[in-house]
Amino acid sequence: MSADFDPTSVNLDEIDPAQIICYLQKGENDYDGRLGARVSALFVILIVSSAATFFPVLASRVKWLKVNIYVYLFARYFGAGVIIATAFIHLLDPAYEEIGPASCVGQTGHWADYAWCPAIVLVSITSIFLMDFGAEQYVNRKYGFGHGPNIEAIITTDPGVEGSDAHGRNQSITHNQIHSGDQDSAFHSQIAAAQNLKDKPSSKDFGSDSEKAITPSVIDHVERSFRQQITAFLILEFGVIFHSVIIGLNLGTTGAEFSTLYPVLVFHQSFEGLGIGARMSAIPFPKRLDWLPWLLCAAYGLTTPIAIAVGLGFRNTYNAGSMTSNIVSGVLDAISAGILIYTGLVELLARDFLFNPELTRDQRRLTFMIVCVLVGITVMALLGKWA
């Protein structure tokens, strides 16, 4: 904004509209005290969001904490809806406000030369697609497993075709089963049994009937699944953590909005944590990486509190409305929006509901899953009114 701009004397026929926009959007330090409440927010969000993130992982890995399949499905698909709504309402919209064409940044310098906000989102989505595709191709080449049943076995129903039963169904675990088979509680148990069996001393004969059902093919596919799924999950958590840093800084420095923002962000971070934890619980981590899910849960739980602490450290100088802050926040929000849009629509919805040949045929369960997604989207979209 020009130094000689006088807001009390403006000729609308001659003034550069960017000067008016920048004046109206000019920010300043909003911190208004209430340090004790802000410190309490740090610990409340740490405890609540961590608990929500750890619970699905604990439920899937601690035997005495096994939960009903519908509780697990609620956590997983409610979380999917939360991720999708976060991408559009909590990331894409703020990115446009910060660096979009109607913002001060978007009308200044080279930012005014191109639609940078959607371009950054597009680059983010394309990059995530290429990373996901590359990871999948790497796993396929290294381990050589297919994406679906043996089509020859299905067509011929030849019981002699390796890997199929008398009805032509493929008996090995497919790529989509690995991603979405946990809609079936029996399959979820089979994955867990395969993980346990893999780490036991080898034996020519398995003792129990359940162990006999766990073939080396199943064990190999579980290992392959981990390598493919972990990439997509890390991308998802990376995008959510970006977002958590920004909202943590804002909560530590915001002014009059703090009273509203505090409770809203407690729910916001809890819902996102529930979605992340539910997704992580479906990944068959090998024994050698037993520590990794706990580390990833802790990383999410700690991010926002650390960002709040950093914000409190700069509470008297940080200006969320400055040009620099808007550029940094806008770019990070646009990148995160692209990550979560791709992950939410491709990894969480399309892969589970549209391109999953092992999608549950239980209509009541399927309806429940869809309703959970819609509830997650609705609740998180409503929270967007305040945060």
Side-chain angles (χ1 to χ4, degrees):
M1 186 173 64
S2 175
D4 59 359
F5 176 75
D6 182 4
T8 62
S9 178
V10 176
N11 186 333
L12 295 179
D13 293 326
E14 298 178 0
I15 192 70
D16 181 358
Q19 290 188 301
I20 299 176
I21 296 296
C22 288
Y23 175 78
L24 294 175
Q25 296 181 354
K26 181 177 65 174
E28 57 186 16
N29 181 261
D30 293 328
Y31 180 73
D32 62 354
R34 294 181 284 183
L35 181 60
R38 296 173 196 268
V39 172
S40 75
L42 188 156
F43 290 102
V44 170
I45 290 178
L46 171 64
I47 294 170
V48 175
S49 64
S50 295
T53 310
F54 276 104
F55 175 72
V57 179
L58 284 168
S60 66
R61 299 173 74 87
V62 179
K63 292 182 179 180
W64 58 266
L65 200 59
K66 291 296 183 183
V67 297
N68 183 277
I69 183 64
Y70 281 96
V71 175
Y72 172 78
L73 290 176
F74 172 80
R76 173 164 180 164
Y77 292 104
F78 177 85
V82 166
I83 295 299
I84 294 166
T86 298
F88 288 96
I89 305 298
H90 297 262
L91 290 171
L92 188 59
D93 183 57
Y96 268 96
E97 290 180 357
E98 291 155 345
I99 60 173
S103 68
C104 176
V105 174
Q107 297 189 28
T108 304
H110 291 295
W111 287 96
D113 296 339
Y114 191 73
W116 289 107
C117 185
I120 293 171
V121 174
L122 178 62
V123 170
S124 177
I125 291 174
T126 305
S127 300
I128 300 308
F129 162 71
L130 292 175
M131 291 173 62
D132 193 22
F133 178 75
E136 192 160 316
Q137 290 300 306
Y138 169 77
V139 172
N140 287 346
R141 289 178 183 176
K142 186 174 179 65
Y143 295 99
F145 74 103
H147 282 244
N150 185 330
I151 191 66
E152 181 181 349
I154 292 176
I155 294 173
T156 63
T157 63
D158 181 1
V161 177
E162 182 180 358
S164 62
D165 62 15
H167 300 285
R169 291 189 297 265
N170 189 288
Q171 292 179 321
S172 64
I173 296 179
T174 67
H175 175 86
N176 279 301
Q177 269 183 309
I178 288 295
H179 273 277
S180 308
D182 54 0
Q183 296 163 2
D184 181 354
S185 55
F187 180 84
H188 204 240
S189 300
Q190 188 184 35
I191 291 292
Q195 285 184 268
N196 293 333
L197 185 63
K198 181 178 60 176
D199 297 290
K200 291 180 179 178
S202 60
S203 173
K204 293 182 179 179
D205 298 313
F206 298 118
S208 67
D209 292 338
S210 62
E211 287 179 334
K212 290 177 182 178
I214 308 301
T215 65
S217 175
V218 172
I219 298 172
D220 290 343
H221 279 74
V222 169
E223 175 68 21
R224 298 164 193 168
S225 165
F226 165 75
R227 292 176 180 268
Q228 202 283 334
Q229 284 197 71
I230 193 62
T231 301
F233 177 79
L234 290 176
I235 290 170
L236 169 64
E237 179 152 352
F238 181 69
V240 172
I241 283 178
F242 259 1
H243 177 47
S244 298
V245 169
I246 300 300
I247 64 176
L249 286 172
N250 288 337
L251 186 62
T253 59
T254 191
E257 296 178 350
F258 175 78
S259 298
T260 303
L261 204 58
Y262 183 175
V264 169
L265 289 185
V266 171
F267 287 104
H268 180 285
Q269 292 304 101
S270 300
F271 293 156
E272 282 189 352
L274 190 64
I276 286 177
R279 282 287 150 179
M280 198 185 316
S281 68
I283 300 176
F285 287 88
K287 284 288 185 181
R288 69 181 186 279
L289 295 175
D290 256 353
W291 51 270
L292 187 55
W294 312 114
L295 176 64
L296 294 173
C297 286
Y300 172 78
L302 288 169
T303 298
T304 301
I306 290 175
I308 294 173
V310 172
L312 290 175
F314 295 95
R315 62 186 181 276
N316 293 315
T317 57
Y318 180 74
N319 179 6
S322 69
M323 179 75 74
T324 301
S325 295
N326 278 328
I327 291 174
V328 173
S329 298
V331 170
L332 291 181
D333 281 344
I335 292 172
S336 297
I339 292 173
L340 267 63
I341 287 172
Y342 176 87
T343 303
L345 298 182
V346 176
E347 294 287 341
L348 307 188
L349 287 191
R351 197 182 294 257
D352 276 10
F353 291 100
L354 301 180
F355 306 120
N356 178 18
E358 284 80 26
L359 182 66
T360 179
R361 290 179 172 82
D362 184 333
Q363 292 302 307
R364 187 179 71 167
R365 182 171 295 179
L366 187 58
T367 301
F368 178 77
M369 289 156 53
I370 294 292
V371 169
C372 288
V373 172
L374 297 178
V375 171
I377 290 174
T378 302
V379 171
M380 205 62 175
L382 289 175
L383 287 180
K385 177 175 174 60
W386 300 281

